[in-house]
Structure formats: structure tokens, C-alpha cells
Amino acid sequence: MKITSLTILLSCIGFHEKRDSSKSSNSDRMYQLSGDPEFHYEILRAMSATSSEGADIGELLVTAQKIKPGDFESYYAAFNELATRVHEQAKSIDGAKHPFSARNTFFRASTYYRSADFFLHGNWSDTRINTLWSKQLDAFNSAMSLLPVPGQRIILNAKDDNFTIPAIFFGSGKPGPQPTIILGNGYDGSQEEMFHVVGEAALQRGMNVITYEGPGQPSVRRYQDLGFIPQWERVLTPVVDFALTRPEVDPHSIGLWGYSFGGYLAPRAAAFEHRLAAVFAMDGVYDFGQTILANLPDPVKKLYDSRNETAVNSILNDALASDSMPTSARWSLQQGMWSFNVKSPYEFIRRSQLYNLTSVSDKIQAPVFVGSAENDTFFPGQAKKLSEALGSKATYHLFKAADGAGEHCSVGASALVNQVTLDWFEDILRRRS
Ligand SMILES: *[C@@H]1O[C@H](CO)[C@@H](O)[C@H](O)[C@H]1NC(C)=O
Ligand SMILES: *[C@@H]1O[C@H](CO)[C@@H](O)[C@H](O)[C@H]1NC(C)=O
Ligand SMILES: *[C@@H]1O[C@H](CO)[C@@H](O)[C@H](O)[C@H]1NC(C)=O
Ligand SMILES: *[C@@H]1O[C@H](CO)[C@@H](O)[C@H](O)[C@H]1NC(C)=O
Ligand SMILES: *[C@@H]1O[C@H](CO)[C@@H](O)[C@H](O)[C@H]1NC(C)=O
């Protein structure tokens, strides 16, 4: 590719391109934590954990100042410094004397290690991918051991597959069988994050919580070298089997929550797994492959459509190697190749086409809460499509920018999201009993 045409192409490559809201005249726009819209989003996502012990605001605002827009190394350095400092502080607290203080501090350290890792997946040999992860696991384990009912790690065997499913059981502490919510993350997030996204809010309401990860997700990708699989029921069914072995779990009151790309994974699994009382697609994803194609610039899309693998790879690899690729595009592609465990952009695009609900959405039996965020730039229009395909089984809910809930997955609005979704779940369970 000649430099000029590459530059033109780069300016229109927009994998999940974020709008630059500093240029928007809309009065509902949100204060920006970075000049880089993707960095803003990820810092806000970490900040969201504040309402559930997983972050604090001031230390994130100080950290945000140290991060240079577009500079992945500066993002790592700022968060690694914060994580290391908070982790040292946590270790210096006598957990026997001050269990709440120690727990809170370990949870924050864990979140910040995850943030430090977030933009490093472009180089698969980067040893920080594993060292940061073992630190986040270590800090999280210390924190969850100090919960009123300590979290319990479990390894489940997939039935006809040779992978294992790491999970955590968080008991409600209430006597007798209780409602239980199974939480799964998406394209780039961990089960530990899910504890903060909605797990702690569910525990407060007297529910048990089970988090889990499957192929493509952080620990299965790292420790079993496995990328995503479209047939997510192969991951979810062993988790439901496990839930049903626990005396704490009311077998008729199990909910399944899928976050972000989990907005595809959860409904996909629910099409085959019918022991669920309710499903949450947060936010709804009907056809993931279509969102990937829609984000390709026209010339690349044409080359993809003609199955010109060499040209697609050459253009996108050149783009990744250049400095001018926008953060959101660079990160989406790097994270996609890493989590699907494929070496080329073309292969990532090809695999992504298998992730749609077109032929299975009618097999879903449980009621589905389909969340939608007004200004979602990752999966625009997808929640509406899923809701339409589900018909009367869907409860579509639009989270608004005016409420600070318009970002993808409504990050920054945990309290509102958890109120709306968990109230809906409790009402469904009450109506059935
Ligand atoms: C959010 O979406 C609404 C509805 O599409 C639009 O009117 C508004 O300008 C968007 N806000 C921002 C900050 O982009
Ligand atoms: C990837 O990471 C490895 C290990 O840290 C390093 O040796 C190598 O230079 C890195 N490659 C690139 C392209 O940055
Ligand atoms: C699963 O089995 C396949 C084929 O037998 C093998 O190639 C793969 O390495 C195995 N994966 C794991 C995680 O054991
Ligand atoms: C693939 O695209 C390149 C660049 O447009 C072109 O030169 C080449 O002939 C194409 N290859 C095939 C097999 O169509
Ligand atoms: C949807 O996924 C199936 C595989 O599950 C695939 O065969 C089909 O081509 C995909 N449909 C679209 C419209 O991409």
C-alpha cells in the first residue's frame, strides 16, 4: 500500500470508532476523563466499580492525568503504578483486625491491575499479560476471602469438551435456597469484574452469585490457550449443572446475565439451556459479525467480500503498525485477534461471522431483559434487533445519556442499571411464585 492511500484508509478505519463528544454540542454529553475517547471509556469503566468497593474516584482522576491519549504504554504505566501502590497498602493492613479495610483495598488493587493489562494484548509474547493477571487474581482472592461469606473458586469440567470452566460461588448467607444469578463477561472482561458490575448488588438483595469464564475470556485464554467458541451453551450448561448441586440455590430461580459481548453469549446459551428463570442481555447483541463488517472501511469490506485474504491482512496489519490508527480501532482488532486466538485480521473477521442469533433466537424460552444504551458505539442498533427477534419474550429498556447511562453497557451508571435490572428479576420471580 502506498502511504497516501494508507493514510486515507486509516482515517476511515473505524472498528468501534467512538464519537468525539468534545465536538458535540449535545447538552447530555459527559465530562471526558481523557482526550482519547477509548481511554475515557475504559477509565470510566474502572471508576464504575466505586459503588461496589472496586475503585475510588480521586485516585482514578490522578491516574487519568498521567495517561497520554493514544499511548498504550502510558496507560499501562499509570495503572501499574496505582495498582502496585494500592496493593502494597492492602498487604500492610492487618486483615484480622481490619477486615473491611483490607477487603476494600485489595478489591481496588485488583481492578487497577486489570486496567494496567487492558491495552497490552497486541503483543502475545508480552510477559506482562500473565504477570499482571496473576497479581489481579491474587488481590481479588485476598479480597473475596474477607467477604461475610467468602467467595469460593471452583473449576468445572465441560461435558464433551476438554476445557475447564473457572467459576466463583458467592453465597448470599441467607438460610435456605435463594435466587441465584450467573454472571458472564464479554469480549475483554473478567469474572472478577462481574462481581463489581452487578455481583455485589445482587448479594445485597439476598441472591447468590456465580461468576464464570469460558474460552476467549481472560483466564481460559491465558491458561488453556483457547479462543472464543460460538456455541456458548457448551460453557454455560456445566455452570447450571453446578448451581443445581448447591443447597443454597433455588433451582427455579436462576438468572443468567451476559455483559457486553455477553449480550450475544448469554442469549445464545439460553437457546439451548432451558433451566433459566430469566436472561439479561446487557446490552443485547443479535449479530456480532455484522457489527464487525459495518465498522470496516468500504475498500476493506469489498476486499473481504471477495475473500482477498492477502490484501485484507496487508492493509490491516499496516494500519496496526502505523501510529495513526485510532485507539478504539487498534484495540478492537488487537483484542479480537487475541481473544479469538487467531493470528490474522482476516481470520478474526471470518470467525466473527459465526456469532449471530438469527437461527436460534426462537429457541429461547425464558423472559429476556434486553438492555440498550442510547449512545452505544460498539453495538449500535443490536439491542433493538434482538428485542424484535424475541418478540413478547423481550423486555427492552433504553438507558439514556441524560441519566449518565448512555455509554456502552451504561458504564458509570451501575446504581441505576442494577436497580432497574434486579428489580425486574425480583418481580419476575415473585410473579411466578
Ligand atoms: C446520544 O444519542 C441521542 C439519540 O440518538 C442523540 O440525540 C445524542 O446527540 C447523543 N449524545 C451524544 C453525547 O452523542
Ligand atoms: C513483545 O514482547 C516481547 C516480550 O516482552 C518482546 O521481547 C518483544 O520485543 C515484543 N515485540 C514487539 C513487537 O514489541
Ligand atoms: C483439546 O483436544 C484437542 C484435540 O484432541 C487438542 O488439540 C487440544 O489441545 C485440547 N485442548 C486442551 C485444552 O486440552
Ligand atoms: C487482492 O487485492 C489486491 C489489492 O487490491 C490485488 O492486487 C490482488 O490482485 C487481489 N487478489 C486477488 C486474488 O483477487
Ligand atoms: C450466523 O451464524 C451461522 C453459524 O451459527 C452462520 O452459518 C451464518 O452464516 C451466520 N449468519 C449471518 C447472517 O452471518
Side-chain angles (χ1 to χ4, degrees):
M1 268 243 129
K2 292 207 188 62
I3 289 300
T4 43
S5 50
L6 176 61
T7 313
I8 293 163
L9 195 54
L10 282 177
S11 63
C12 61
I13 282 178
F15 270 108
H16 305 162
E17 189 55 74
K18 301 260 179 355
R19 99 208 77 83
D20 180 356
S21 51
S22 63
K23 292 189 191 114
S24 155
S25 60
N26 189 279
S27 61
D28 293 339
R29 72 190 179 85
M30 190 181 275
Y31 181 82
Q32 296 294 292
L33 298 164
S34 169
D36 184 321
E38 180 74 27
F39 285 176
H40 159 77
Y41 179 83
E42 291 303 331
I43 298 166
L44 180 65
R45 178 172 167 184
M47 198 177 273
S48 280
T50 300
S51 62
S52 56
E53 299 186 50
D56 210 350
I57 294 166
E59 57 200 14
L60 280 173
L61 292 178
V62 169
T63 300
Q65 290 275 42
K66 297 180 184 165
I67 298 172
K68 265 177 54 196
D71 183 342
F72 288 16
E73 279 299 323
S74 79
Y75 197 96
Y76 154 77
F79 269 106
N80 186 53
E81 184 196 333
L82 175 63
T84 307
R85 193 174 71 242
V86 174
H87 199 194
E88 285 310 313
Q89 194 188 336
K91 286 190 262 189
S92 74
I93 299 169
D94 181 343
K97 273 205 299 213
H98 309 293
F100 186 85
S101 297
R103 178 178 100 196
N104 183 292
T105 313
F106 277 119
F107 271 142
R108 277 161 38 234
S110 180
T111 300
Y112 302 149
Y113 282 126
R114 293 196 295 275
S115 295
D117 163 77
F118 197 80
F119 289 100
L120 297 181
H121 301 172
N123 177 2
W124 294 14
S125 325
D126 192 329
T127 51
R128 294 172 297 182
I129 294 174
N130 280 353
T131 52
L132 290 166
W133 210 255
S134 62
K135 288 177 186 172
Q136 87 86 14
L137 290 174
D138 187 42
F140 193 89
N141 287 343
S142 300
M144 76 174 186
S145 73
L146 296 166
L147 286 167
V149 181
Q152 197 184 345
R153 284 201 186 263
I154 297 121
I155 306 281
L156 304 169
N157 289 313
K159 230 186 250 152
D160 303 314
D161 291 295
N162 59 356
F163 61 84
T164 59
I165 302 152
I168 311 176
F169 185 83
F170 298 94
S172 76
K174 281 170 69 175
Q178 300 299 332
T180 301
I181 189 155
I182 299 173
L183 307 178
N185 215 320
Y187 193 59
D188 51 64
S190 62
Q191 59 172 334
E192 289 79 21
E193 182 189 25
M194 293 312 296
F195 173 82
H196 298 291
V197 171
V198 52
E200 199 187 64
L203 289 173
Q204 285 170 348
R205 288 155 173 85
M207 301 172 191
N208 305 301
V209 171
I210 301 173
T211 62
Y212 74 100
E213 285 175 13
Q217 296 184 321
S219 58
V220 181
R221 172 64 183 82
R222 280 177 177 79
Y223 308 128
Q224 300 179 57
D225 201 24
L226 296 172
F228 275 110
I229 55 171
Q231 306 84 0
W232 205 246
E233 61 281 6
R234 286 159 56 187
V235 186
L236 195 263
T237 284
V239 182
V240 177
D241 289 345
F242 161 73
L244 294 173
T245 67
R246 300 288 304 215
E248 299 96 325
V249 172
D250 172 353
H252 304 294
S253 305
I254 299 175
L256 171 67
W257 175 299
Y259 194 52
S260 192
F261 181 46
Y264 159 82
L265 301 172
R268 160 72 205 201
F272 299 89
E273 171 51 72
H274 296 150
R275 295 170 291 178
L276 303 166
V279 177
F280 299 83
M282 300 295 297
D283 301 328
V285 179
Y286 186 63
D287 188 342
F288 175 68
Q290 197 253 319
T291 69
I292 296 298
L293 292 182
N295 279 309
L296 292 175
D298 275 345
V300 181
K301 171 135 186 345
K302 285 208 183 77
L303 290 168
Y304 178 79
D305 287 342
S306 68
R307 301 291 175 262
N308 191 329
E309 183 167 359
T310 315
V312 168
N313 282 336
S314 139
I315 292 170
L316 292 177
N317 283 326
D318 281 355
L320 285 171
S322 83
D323 286 336
S324 43
M325 194 178 198
T327 297
S328 55
R330 175 186 305 281
W331 171 79
S332 296
L333 194 49
Q334 289 179 340
Q335 176 65 23
M337 290 194 283
W338 187 75
S339 62
F340 282 68
N341 208 8
V342 295
K343 292 281 188 186
S344 83
Y346 181 91
E347 187 57 13
F348 164 63
I349 300 166
R350 197 183 68 78
R351 298 272 179 105
S352 73
Q353 301 310 304
L354 301 176
Y355 294 73
N356 65 74
L357 299 170
T358 45
S359 59
V360 300
S361 59
D362 61 335
K363 298 186 171 65
I364 297 173
Q365 294 177 359
V368 185
F369 185 99
V370 182
S372 181
E374 191 173 30
N375 297 115
D376 190 345
T377 51
F378 286 85
F379 301 132
Q382 288 292 317
K384 196 89 213 162
K385 279 190 188 157
L386 176 58
S387 174
E388 281 163 8
L390 290 170
S392 63
K393 271 173 270 168
T395 298
Y396 177 84
H397 187 97
L398 182 67
F399 289 97
K400 301 226 168 87
D403 296 322
E407 300 268 352
H408 176 61
C409 292
S410 302
V411 298
S414 297
L416 173 68
V417 171
N418 291 331
Q419 175 252 310
V420 171
T421 54
L422 296 176
D423 288 1
W424 177 83
F425 187 39
E426 287 173 332
D427 289 343
I428 286 212
L429 298 179
R430 217 163 278 144
R431 234 175 283 141
R432 287 159 31 115
S433 60

